[in-house]
Amino acid sequence: MARERLYLFDTTLRDGAQTNGVDFTLADKLAIAGMLDELGVDYVEAGYPGANPIDTSFFSERRPMRARVTAFGMTRRPGRSASNDPGLVALLEAQADAICFVAKSWDYHVRIALETTEDENLASIRDSVRAAKAKGREVLLDCEHFFDGYKANPAYALACAKAAYDEGARWVVLCDTNGGTLPHEVEDIVGEVCKVIPGDRVGIHAHNDTEQAVANSFAAIRAGARQIQGTLNGLGERCGNANLVSIIPTLKLKPEYADKFEINVSDGALGRIVRISHGLDELLNRAPDRHAPYVGESAFATKAGIHASAIVKEPKTYEHVAPERVGNKRKLLVSDQAGRSNVLAELERIGLSLDKDDPRVTRLLDEVKEREANGYAYEAADASFELLARRMLGQVPHYFDVEKFDVNVEQRNNASQRVTVSQAVVKIKVGNEELISVAEGIGPVNALDLALRKDLGKYQSFITGLTLTDYRVRILNGGTQAVTRVLIESTDETGEHWRTVGVSANIIDASFQALMDSIVYKLVKSGAPA
Ligand SMILES: [Zn+2]
């Protein structure tokens, strides 16, 4: 049976740009548009020309890509003609393949927010769609507050959608603008709409305010809609939009959808979705959500010993899809409750296959247990675990010694301002060479990190691509005897991420251990000679 085509519309660059704390530059927008095009979405809504200089310059020239570049904007203002509305004229001039208009579809909003009549709002929808079609653009209409509007006045909400459809809009998109509609309501209402407008002309735009944006999108598909709008990593205002990074693997891997629908995302692109998702986080300077479905580092992580031995024998027993399909990895966590099979599986993952009866496995397990009792957390620090295992096997060369370090924090008056300055001095011995580095940082750990990595002599070239992406501190027990655990995440020029851990009563010492593990791990991984 031929599969039906389902379309993906991404609004990361428009609705996603409303996310608290997100500010895209033009270069960011172009980079993200490239990622979306690589992924294979059908539409990239890139912004609102005229609303700000970045969006205006994005649409000032053709941006060639496979996806249809879409400009967002308002329908003509009430009481004006289409040609006499500067906002609409600017939108029509934008270098875009498609135009997505937003219009009110809730009678209450038409009267209160727009201060106009229901008929004038319908006329504005018709005129705007007609004007954009005359310009040769594909047209979409976002029906704002559609579900709330439908509940209040179904005839009027439908009339707004129908006005755009009758005028020739390619898509009528039903928006759950406030994000509070529940899946069964979405399914019912979309079902009603699809009796009037063919489903292959209907889209869904869901927000995540009850954490059901993904479920609402699927509810709409079940009821007949054939376009899903969403964003990468669920970026968006308040609680975000429907997360395409969760929706795409479900569409591709779950037979209920995969057998019935075809999307423009190839199997190869699906296998890069982890990288694309994390690439966006990197661009936003955020640590990826480890628990994100499909793409999170914990998405295929198993902890207890009895599960681990089963998962090695038959992965399907504990995994709903194969992690490789989305470019993720199976991970077996090593922890104090873990059995021998966890350690063995983890050793195998890092390429150190030992016989299960090898006494070194017992030694490693004992060592992990003892260290975890003292506060180390190896399941959160894969690289530190790997170093521990490799050290036991004599596989970590002796690269350098830190003979001593000194960190100082000074507060002083600078002109009329009180400033705090941190400085670190590190003395390193590489072979017979002694190196002293000094660095200032925004805090003592930053200063120590900068000084440590400033000059590693003959090893310096191996660590130039090393950067720290996350630093987390946890106090393990209260009071003055508290023990501090530091977890550091690092990355390098290959895009690999790794985590290291340090534990001490002293936060600088704990940080030092984690920093050292990160550097040594990078040297081992790069094959630096002893
Ligand atoms: Zn929205």
Side-chain angles (χ1 to χ4, degrees):
M1 197 181 86
R3 292 181 299 166
E4 252 186 281
R5 182 77 159 84
L6 202 64
Y7 294 83
L8 298 173
F9 182 105
D10 180 277
T11 181
T12 304
L13 300 177
R14 199 274 302 168
D15 227 353
Q18 306 295 318
T19 313
N20 220 331
V22 165
D23 276 303
F24 294 133
T25 63
L26 180 59
D28 291 340
K29 285 205 159 194
L30 290 168
I32 295 166
M35 292 176 189
L36 291 165
D37 212 28
E38 178 192 346
L39 187 57
V41 302
D42 299 284
Y43 297 84
V44 170
E45 189 172 53
Y48 188 168
N52 63 67
I54 289 170
D55 286 5
T56 302
S57 69
F58 188 100
F59 288 104
S60 66
E61 54 185 279
R62 296 294 306 176
R63 308 288 180 184
M65 53 180 95
R66 290 189 299 168
R68 317 215 78 198
V69 177
T70 307
F72 173 88
M74 312 251 266
T75 49
R76 73 155 174 80
R77 280 192 278 168
R80 294 213 180 196
S81 70
S83 57
N84 205 15
D85 180 334
L88 179 58
V89 170
L91 185 57
L92 296 176
E93 290 307 317
Q95 298 290 314
D97 304 301
I99 291 178
C100 183
F101 289 109
V102 58
K104 308 257 179 236
S105 55
W106 186 353
D107 59 349
Y108 170 78
H109 272 261
V110 171
R111 289 192 306 272
I112 303 301
L114 221 51
E115 294 180 2
T116 189
T117 64
E118 293 173 16
D119 282 344
E120 172 62 4
N121 184 52
L122 292 173
S124 156
I125 292 172
R126 283 192 295 264
D127 290 350
S128 306
V129 171
R130 194 181 310 128
K133 281 197 63 101
K135 267 279 186 185
R137 303 288 192 267
E138 181 176 329
V139 185
L140 302 90
L141 184 84
D142 271 2
C143 298
E144 203 183 26
H145 297 291
F146 185 84
F147 294 92
D148 297 306
Y150 188 92
K151 287 183 207 169
N153 183 345
Y156 187 70
L158 269 178
C160 294
K162 190 81 172 19
Y165 170 70
D166 287 343
E167 206 58 60
R170 170 68 183 88
W171 293 103
V172 176
V173 182
L174 312 179
C175 300
D176 185 26
T177 309
N178 291 347
T181 310
L182 302 175
H184 66 279
E185 300 173 309
V186 170
E187 193 160 351
D188 288 348
I189 294 174
V190 173
E192 290 304 315
V193 173
C194 290
K195 289 177 186 166
V196 181
I197 298 171
D200 62 5
R201 308 286 288 275
V202 174
I204 178 74
H205 177 108
H207 276 268
N208 205 28
D209 297 71
T210 68
E211 205 162 24
Q212 300 188 87
V214 169
N216 279 345
S217 304
F218 284 113
I221 297 306
R222 276 197 301 273
R226 291 296 175 259
Q227 185 198 92
I228 301 181
Q229 299 203 342
T231 58
L232 287 180
N233 296 347
L235 234 54
E237 205 171 11
R238 305 187 310 275
C239 316
N241 286 58
N243 185 358
L244 289 180
V245 172
S246 296
I247 288 172
I248 290 170
T250 297
L251 287 174
K252 297 268 302 172
L253 300 177
K254 296 291 166 183
E256 180 184 352
Y257 297 104
D259 293 347
K260 215 171 154 203
F261 299 111
E262 195 181 348
I263 56 174
N264 192 40
V265 176
S266 67
D267 289 348
L270 181 66
R272 294 192 293 275
I273 198 164
V274 166
R275 196 166 56 65
I276 289 171
S277 166
H278 293 184
L280 179 71
D281 285 324
E282 231 157 72
L283 214 132
L284 296 172
N285 208 12
R286 295 177 162 191
D289 175 5
R290 303 184 62 188
H291 302 284
Y294 296 108
V295 298
E297 201 169 337
S298 299
F300 300 96
T302 303
K303 190 164 183 170
I306 116 171
H307 290 178
S309 55
I311 211 166
V312 173
K313 281 185 221 138
E314 184 41 84
K316 269 193 190 150
T317 47
Y318 289 95
E319 287 168 357
H320 73 112
V321 298
E324 307 79 49
R325 294 296 306 273
V326 292
N328 210 337
K329 275 189 283 200
R330 176 172 307 128
K331 196 171 167 193
L332 298 169
L333 302 175
V334 180
S335 79
D336 58 351
Q337 9 168 329
R340 178 173 290 262
S341 46
N342 276 25
V343 171
L344 284 166
E346 193 57 18
L347 286 172
E348 196 180 315
R349 184 189 67 81
I350 60 186
L352 296 170
S353 292
L354 291 184
D355 186 84
K356 70 176 170 41
D357 298 321
D358 192 314
R360 290 175 298 181
V361 175
T362 312
R363 257 168 51 211
L364 181 61
L365 187 57
D366 289 345
E367 174 103 26
V368 166
K369 283 182 173 171
E370 192 186 318
R371 286 173 156 259
E372 294 207 330
N374 290 326
Y376 288 83
Y378 286 103
E379 60 184 46
D382 47 358
S384 285
F385 174 79
E386 183 170 340
L387 284 180
L388 194 68
R390 288 190 184 278
R391 281 195 178 109
M392 207 192 63
L393 299 175
Q395 291 183 357
V396 179
H398 187 103
Y399 296 114
F400 62 93
D401 289 305
V402 176
E403 303 225 298
K404 66 177 223 169
F405 69 80
D406 176 30
V407 179
N408 95 32
V409 179
E410 183 188 319
Q411 200 178 73
R412 60 168 184 251
N413 279 321
N414 189 358
S416 61
Q417 270 205 321
R418 203 75 188 145
V419 293
T420 306
V421 189
S422 299
Q423 192 190 59
V425 182
V426 177
K427 194 168 161 193
I428 294 173
K429 196 163 178 197
V430 185
N432 291 323
E433 199 183 3
E434 283 208 329
L435 302 160
I436 296 181
S437 300
V438 182
E440 277 197 356
I442 48 171
V445 175
N446 180 237
L448 179 62
D449 172 39
L450 294 174
L452 260 178
R453 291 195 284 136
K454 202 167 188 175
D455 189 2
L456 271 192
K458 61 176 176 173
Y459 297 121
Q460 190 61 25
S461 63
F462 292 97
I463 62 160
T464 44
L466 172 65
T467 48
L468 301 192
T469 50
D470 201 16
Y471 172 83
R472 264 171 292 171
V473 176
R474 178 140 171 231
I475 309 297
L476 295 177
N477 42 30
T480 50
Q481 301 294 309
V483 173
T484 303
R485 177 201 292 156
V486 166
L487 281 171
I488 284 178
E489 190 184 275
S490 312
T491 186
D492 68 4
E493 65 284 358
T494 67
E496 184 185 336
H497 288 258
W498 62 90
R499 264 182 290 277
T500 53
V501 62
V503 171
S504 169
N506 182 310
I507 185 173
I508 301 290
D509 185 44
S511 306
F512 175 75
Q513 293 171 24
L515 288 169
M516 283 291 286
D517 265 10
S518 174
I519 293 170
V520 172
Y521 177 81
K522 169 68 179 154
L523 292 174
V524 170
K525 166 172 123 69
S526 307

